Amino acid sequence: MEIKDLKAVYFIGAGGIGMSAIARYFIRRGLVVAGYDKTPSELTRRLEKEGMMIHYEENLEEIPFACKQKNSCLVIYTPAIPADHKELLFFQQNGFEIQKRAQVLGTLTRHMKGLCVAGTHGKTTTSTMCAHIMHQSHLDCNAFLGGISKNYGTNYILSQSDYVVIEADEFDRSFHWLSPWMTVITSTDPDHLDIYGTKEAYLESFRHYSELILPGGALIIHRDLEMKENLQDDVRRYDYSRDEGDFHAENIRIENGGITFDFISPIESVKNIELGQPVPINIENGIAAMAMAQLAGCTAEELRYGMKTYGGVDRRFDFKIKSDKLVFLSDYAHHPKEIYQSAKSIRELYHDRHITAIFQPHLYTRTRDFYKDFADALSQVDEVILTEIYPARELPIEGVTSQLIYDNLKDGVKKQMINKADVLSLVKSRDFDVLIILGAGDLDNQVPQITKILEERIK
């Protein structure tokens, strides 16, 4: 079915961050847009205000009439939806065209120049940075992002540009549907082993993704990754890192709450890049974002202005309170390497302060596979408070609890285990110097209340 023939689009798993970006695209096109999600959230409430019809129980009667016409309705679902979901079964049994989110992105972007960002971690920040640089440049861009950009208050940008920035998700091999013109690969630390089974299969998935880069395009890959790319003829290859590579930083200055550096590039080096979100890990993310934007045609001044005015992403090093008395932030980090980078950046910023992390592990399988790595990464902070595991799409696994991480934290780290339901009470009863909420689960829903409690304390 061609996009131009659609009259309605139905989403099963409407409230996911990636799904919502596509929903916004179709809302803007004036189609009937509806869907199901398991629970209401701030994101689903926003979508409803924008014109999407959403319900929260498996109920065929809630599906709008326009979405029951198979010749004019496209059904989009997330792989996290169980195979026996009543609504998914209805559409399957009645011959509707059903696509995964990544298939739709592939369709939407086939006739544009895709600037994609893949990797185990760093892809949301890097793609959002690149989208901001491109959008405020003479080139402009469309964008489908995996987080809410603070510059735009959304995860979607629509324009008349030929460029589209996409966060390329490796979960369920989704990124294999894409045809990138250029792509960044930030990292390939094994994840989603419930899907891939082995590290080798995970790395092979990235190798196959590199084959999809279109001739005339480019790969911008972090130095020293385990994966071995396989590029088509006429695809340029560049590497990058914070300190080495075709693209890297020099003359880094971290002082007075700000970060400035020189961007070294084989095309044109740019001095005095100022980070609008001054977090050390964003030096490396910014190098990758600027590299792709520069290869697309952005000027030195556009790179400098874009980086200076970049406002960050919700739940990615998201500072809520930043004062001499107290620092409070939340971060989506949920893989050991992400937590390591997050903790390292916090320590670099606040090397002489007491850092406390409240971490909600995400998925039983991820905890089972990486509990020692989680413990090592978390041991960089002074104090760790663990909640129970957020299951997401999984059922419990016998013997897999947060206790595995707790027992492997290094000596000298103060530690505690609590129920998620008791987090607010703990915050009310404790003093903190630097506090960070870590994880991709639902603990972040309590961040507004925690912020309010802490703000009252420092008045």
Side-chain angles (χ1 to χ4, degrees), residues 25-71:
Y25 170 83
F26 287 113
I27 291 169
R28 290 283 294 272
R29 288 181 63 93
L31 276 63
V32 174
V33 180
Y36 158 89
D37 203 76
K38 190 174 182 179
T39 54
S41 66
E42 180 58 32
L43 191 49
T44 60
R45 284 187 281 272
R46 288 186 192 177
L47 288 170
E48 288 182 88
K49 286 182 179 178
E50 292 169 29
M52 186 174 183
M53 294 174 280
I54 306 177
H55 59 273
Y56 302 95
E57 59 179 30
E58 297 179 40
N59 186 345
L60 301 182
E61 294 182 4
E62 294 278 3
I63 301 173
F65 176 81
C67 298
K68 290 183 177 178
Q69 313 307 307
K70 72 175 182 180
N71 293 326

Side-chain angles (χ1 to χ4, degrees), residues 261-434:
F261 61 92
D262 297 339
F263 173 58
I264 306 304
S265 160
I267 300 166
E268 179 187 3
S269 295
V270 186
K271 291 193 173 185
N272 298 320
I273 297 292
E274 183 181 342
L275 287 183
Q277 191 192 34
V279 179
I281 187 59
N282 279 348
I283 299 172
E284 194 164 82
N285 292 331
I287 290 163
M290 286 189 289
M292 190 152 63
Q294 188 180 58
L295 286 168
C298 287
T299 67
E301 200 50 50
E302 288 170 343
L303 296 182
R304 192 181 286 111
Y305 180 77
M307 292 299 295
K308 183 176 181 178
T309 57
Y310 171 73
V313 185
D314 282 355
R315 295 186 72 178
R316 269 66 172 190
F317 254 93
D318 194 353
F319 284 92
K320 303 298 184 183
I321 301 173
K322 203 172 184 181
S323 72
D324 293 338
K325 293 181 180 178
L326 174 67
V327 174
F328 174 51
L329 67 156
S330 68
D331 192 53
Y332 192 74
H334 57 285
H335 183 279
K337 285 294 178 72
E338 291 174 334
I339 291 173
Y340 174 81
Q341 292 291 353
S342 184
K344 180 181 175 185
S345 286
I346 297 166
R347 181 62 73 193
E348 200 167 351
L349 285 171
Y350 303 108
H351 56 88
D352 58 348
R353 298 178 69 169
H354 185 90
I355 301 168
T356 302
I358 303 178
F359 175 50
Q360 180 188 37
H362 186 267
L363 298 181
Y364 294 103
T365 51
R366 188 180 282 126
T367 304
R368 177 199 64 196
D369 295 336
F370 301 118
Y371 66 88
K372 290 183 179 178
D373 298 317
F374 277 121
D376 286 344
L378 288 164
S379 292
Q380 292 184 97
V381 303
D382 302 293
E383 181 178 1
V384 177
I385 300 167
L386 292 165
T387 75
E388 67 271 30
I389 295 169
Y390 181 75
R393 58 187 180 271
E394 294 184 339
L395 295 173
I397 298 173
E398 186 176 351
V400 178
T401 71
S402 299
Q403 189 75 38
L404 291 172
I405 300 172
Y406 182 93
D407 290 342
N408 283 274
L409 289 166
K410 292 180 180 177
D411 293 341
V413 176
K414 187 178 178 182
K415 57 187 181 179
Q416 183 178 355
M417 284 188 38
I418 64 171
N419 293 321
K420 183 190 70 175
D422 297 326
V423 167
L424 290 180
S425 298
L426 175 83
V427 172
K428 288 176 183 177
S429 67
R430 285 280 313 276
D431 288 326
F432 297 99
D433 189 6
V434 177

